[in-house]
């Protein structure tokens, strides 16, 4: 049913659970697995106006993203699953993480997208947005959302 599973990760508990689900599905279907993390660089264009060292912040975000991917890869390898990985970045201030995930899924191409959800509601969801919801709305392939 699924031959290519893409799991998008961040540093949340929901993401760790999503990786576990993706690994189980990969094993069950004999599929290929790819781990993806999107580093959100969009807001950094404001750095000069805010007197923020954007280079230091950019490096820190990339480093955290690499650690996040490495943890997911460890989880997959411990389960005996060979895994590809990808670390990409948003490229414009108005580009959304969800758009990048969906584009990567289409380009790879994935049969299933798996990602964790924080379960935010109300004002918190409105202010922070929901990557999971954005992916579910945009994706041409099935999306499995794993709750924290």
């Amino acid at each position: 049913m699924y031959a290519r599973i893409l799991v998008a990760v961040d540093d949340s508990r929901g993401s760790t659970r999503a990786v576990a689900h993706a690994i189980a599905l990969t094993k069950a279907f004999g599929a290929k697995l790819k781990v993806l993390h999107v580093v959100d660089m969009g807001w950094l264009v404001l750095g000069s106006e805010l007197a923020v060292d954007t280079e230091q912040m950019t490096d820190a975000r990339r480093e955290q993203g690499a650690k996040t991917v490495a943890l997911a890869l460890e989880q997959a390898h411990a389960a005996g699953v060979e895994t590809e990985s990808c670390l990409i970045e948003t490229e414009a201030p108005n580009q959304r993480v969800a758009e990048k995930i969906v584009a990567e899924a289409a380009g790879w191409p994935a049969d299933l997208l798996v990602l964790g959800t924080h379960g935010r509601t109300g004002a918190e969801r409105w202010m922070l947005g929901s990557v999971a919801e954005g992916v579910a709305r945009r994706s041409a392939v099935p999306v499995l959302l794993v709750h924290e």
Side-chain angles (χ1 to χ4, degrees), residues 17-97:
R17 292 192 56 184
V19 171
H21 279 280
I23 289 168
L25 289 169
T26 298
K27 289 176 128 181
F29 292 113
K32 292 183 179 182
L33 180 63
K34 185 172 186 177
V35 173
L36 166 69
H37 178 76
V38 180
V39 181
D40 188 4
M41 297 295 191
W43 65 275
L44 290 176
V45 296
L46 300 174
S48 58
E49 288 98 26
L50 301 174
V52 173
D53 183 353
T54 56
E55 188 172 328
Q56 184 179 19
M57 294 185 84
T58 299
D59 291 344
R61 284 193 168 216
R62 287 182 180 134
E63 184 178 320
Q64 182 58 45
K67 286 178 184 177
T68 299
V69 168
L71 287 172
L73 290 175
E74 285 177 25
Q75 195 176 345
H77 291 161
V81 175
E82 274 196 46
T83 309
E84 296 179 43
S85 66
C86 186
L87 183 68
I88 59 177
E89 300 176 4
T90 57
E91 298 149 0
N94 62 343
Q95 189 174 43
R96 305 259 186 239
V97 170

Side-chain angles (χ1 to χ4, degrees), residues 79-145:
V81 175
E82 274 196 46
T83 309
E84 296 179 43
S85 66
C86 186
L87 183 68
I88 59 177
E89 300 176 4
T90 57
E91 298 149 0
N94 62 343
Q95 189 174 43
R96 305 259 186 239
V97 170
E99 292 171 12
K100 293 294 281 188
I101 293 170
V102 170
E104 184 65 27
W108 185 41
D111 300 316
L112 175 69
L113 262 166
V114 181
L115 62 155
T117 179
H118 299 280
R120 293 184 181 115
T121 59
E124 184 180 31
R125 186 181 145 279
W126 179 77
M127 289 174 61
L128 298 175
S130 171
V131 171
E133 181 181 353
V135 168
R137 289 182 187 275
R138 291 175 174 86
S139 181
V141 299
V143 178
L144 172 62
L145 300 179

